Amino acid sequence: MTATRLLIVGPQGSGKGTQGVRIAATFGVLAVSTGDVFRAAVAAGTPLGEQVKAIIEAGDLVSDELTSAVVRDRLSQPDAAEGFLLDGYPRNVAQVMHLDEFLDGRDESIDAVIELDVPRDESISRLSLRAAEQGRTDDTEEVIANRLAIYERETAPILDVYRTRGVVDRIDGIGTLDEITDRIIAALEARGLVRAAAV
Ligand code: AMP
């Protein structure tokens, strides 16, 4: 069986976390969210958590070296053998290089990059709603604006890199959760990627 390696990219509030988990389950691969890894480390008070707490609360980016080391470590574990879906990484072009180097060393590559397309106004209103519901410390108005600006400046350019490789599927991120999941599955199947057998 061949492994499936996916990325999901979109602005904060695009629903990429939720869709990422669904798509990973559909294709039988491990979902890795770097934001979740960092938040769990902060909550558990580990040395990694201590290192990244203030950065996350300001909505800034953790260093590329540290983030890439965390991802390499996670993808080297046995439960990533069937493939993976990365949510929130790579976040800039330097991280794309780090990921390329890691995958090249294993003779692997990314099969598809799911770009979730959601207009800025919609992202902001979804994030404000989530802030009210979940009380995330990085969902205040000021921090939201910072995170979206970083997305536009640093993350959106990674899509151009992957576009030149012909692996990007741009998906309309407006609709119900199920509609969006179905769109993503259809795009990935059109690439010849195969769903995991139903359990
Ligand atoms: P997220 O849930 O993906 O929005 O991530 C929450 C926070 O974790 C971000 O605002 C960053 O501080 C940090 N973070 C997550 N992924 C990365 C990454 N690939 N590079 C740097 N920082 C990251």
Side-chain angles (χ1 to χ4, degrees), residues 10-18 21 33-40 42-43 52-53 55-62 87-88 91 123 126-148:
Q12 289 75 14
S14 62
K16 69 185 165 59
T18 307
V21 169
S33 152
T34 43
D36 283 353
V37 171
F38 289 141
R39 278 186 290 276
V42 171
V52 301
K53 187 169 191 284
I55 300 170
I56 290 180
E57 284 177 357
D60 291 328
L61 292 187
V62 175
D87 161 15
R91 200 84 154 214
S123 298
R126 289 187 194 176
L127 285 170
S128 310
L129 195 70
R130 184 170 80 184
E133 283 169 7
Q134 299 180 0
R136 261 175 62 159
T137 47
D138 59 355
D139 272 349
T140 64
E141 207 170 307
E142 196 186 328
V143 177
I144 288 171
N146 185 29
R147 292 165 79 222
L148 284 174

